[in-house]
Amino acid sequence: MGDTALEAVLRRDRAVVTAALAVIAVFAWAYVLWLAADMAMPGSPVSGGEAGDMAGMDTASMNMGGMAMGAAVAPGFRPWASADFVFIFTMWVVMMVGMMTPSVAPMLLLYAGVGRKALADSRPIASTAWFFTGYLVVWVVFSIVATGAQWLLTRFALLDPAMAAHSAVLGGVILIAAGLYQWTPIKGVCLRQCQAPIAFLASHGGFRTTALGALRLGMDHGAYCLGCCWALMALLFVGGVMNVLWIAGIAILVLLEKVVPAGQLIPRISGALMVAVGLWLGLSAL
C-alpha cells in the first residue's frame, strides 16, 4: 500500500472513530438532558414518582412528618429501594460516558491510527474498542462508588431533592477538598499521563496484540484518568448531580486540563478558585 493510500485510510479510520465517539457523547448527553427535564415533572421516576411515593409512604410519613406533603417523595427523603440504586447507578454511568468521552478522544484517535497502520504492515494490534471498553470499566466502577456515596449523603439528609449539598458548609468542604487535591503530586502524575498519550504508551509497554491486553491497557489509562478527575466529579454534589450547566462546566474543565498544553497551570488556578469559593461558602454560613 502506497503512502498516499495509507494516509487516506488513516484519515477515514480517524473519521470513523471520531463519529462513533461523537454519537456516544451525544446520546449520553441527550439522556442526561432528558433526566434533568424529567426531574422537574411531578410523578417522574427521578423525583420519586407515584411508585416511589407508594414504596416510601409509610417510612416517609413516620420519619419526615409533613416534609413530603405537596411534593413527590424523592429517594433522598425515603429509604432507597433496589430500583433506586439501579436508576442512580445508571444515571452516573451515562453521565461519566458523556463527560469523559471527549477527553479520551485524542488517545483513542492515536490508537486507531496506529492500529490501522499496524494492520497495513501485517502486524495487527487489538481493536480500539477493547481499549475503550477497558477505559469505561474504570468509570463504571467509579459510578458504583458514586452511587454509594450518594446513598450515604441522602440517608443522612445531606442532599436536597436536586441532589445537591443541603448546606453551604458541606458544599464548601467539598470545594475545598477538591481544590486542594488539584495541587497534589498524585494529581500532577495522573494528569501528565492523560495529557501525553504517546508518553503513556511508552511507559506502559506500547500497544497490545490481544484483546485482554488492550482491555488492561485501557483500564490502566482509565485509572490515571480517574486519579486526575475523581475530585472534580465530587463537585457534582455541590452544584447538583442533575444540574446540566454544572455538569457541562465540569466536563469542559476536565477537557481543558487534558488537551490545553498548559502543564499544571489550569488545575492549580481552578484549585485555588475552588478553595476560595469553598471558604467563602463555609464562612458565610457561620
Side-chain angles (χ1 to χ4, degrees):
M1 182 181 292
D3 290 342
T4 302
L6 177 59
E7 289 173 2
V9 170
L10 286 174
R11 281 197 295 270
R12 285 199 298 273
D13 187 78
R14 291 191 179 98
V16 170
V17 173
T18 301
L21 293 177
V23 169
I24 291 171
V26 166
F27 273 103
W29 276 100
Y31 183 73
V32 170
L33 290 169
W34 175 79
L35 287 181
D38 199 45
M39 258 186 85
M41 297 176 62
S44 70
V46 183
S47 60
E50 295 177 2
D53 290 346
M54 293 298 292
M57 186 178 294
D58 292 338
T59 304
S61 60
M62 287 188 293
N63 296 341
M64 303 305 296
M67 178 178 288
M69 296 302 293
V73 180
F77 297 137
R78 60 174 171 80
W80 282 18
S82 298
D84 293 318
F85 281 99
V86 173
F87 182 84
I88 297 299
F89 166 70
T90 303
M91 178 190 72
W92 274 99
V93 170
V94 173
M95 278 199 304
M96 293 305 100
V97 171
M99 295 175 73
M100 302 310 300
T101 296
S103 67
V104 77
M107 179 72 214
L108 295 178
L109 292 174
L110 172 65
Y111 193 107
V114 172
R116 179 62 69 181
K117 187 176 187 302
L119 182 62
D121 294 340
S122 300
R123 293 182 291 105
I125 62 175
S127 169
T128 309
W130 285 110
F131 180 90
F132 189 39
T133 299
Y135 179 85
L136 292 180
V137 164
V138 173
W139 288 103
V140 169
V141 173
F142 171 80
S143 297
I144 296 173
V145 176
T147 300
Q150 186 169 337
W151 173 77
L152 284 174
L153 290 171
T154 54
R155 182 169 179 81
F156 291 101
L158 296 176
L159 294 182
D160 61 23
M163 305 182 200
H166 193 271
S167 69
V169 172
L170 177 59
V173 169
I174 296 174
L175 277 166
I176 292 170
L180 292 176
Y181 184 78
Q182 293 284 85
W183 286 74
T184 60
I186 189 172
K187 165 77 178 191
V189 170
C190 292
L191 183 58
R192 282 192 292 272
Q193 293 289 331
C194 294
Q195 288 175 329
I198 295 178
F200 165 79
L201 290 168
S203 64
H204 287 77
F207 296 94
R208 304 292 192 269
T209 57
T210 66
L212 184 58
L215 189 72
R216 290 176 176 173
L217 186 63
M219 292 175 68
D220 288 341
H221 188 65
Y224 281 113
C225 188
L226 178 61
C228 179
C229 303
W230 71 267
L232 297 179
M233 298 308 166
L235 296 179
L236 289 168
F237 290 120
V238 178
V241 174
M242 291 309 302
N243 183 329
V244 175
L245 291 179
W246 191 250
I247 296 171
I250 295 173
I252 291 171
L253 177 57
V254 168
L255 184 61
L256 289 176
E257 284 188 355
K258 293 185 178 183
V259 302
V260 174
Q264 304 295 313
L265 184 61
I266 292 177
R268 290 182 175 177
I269 291 176
S270 62
L273 290 174
M274 291 174 203
V275 172
V277 175
L279 288 172
W280 175 79
L281 278 178
L283 293 174
S284 65
L286 299 178

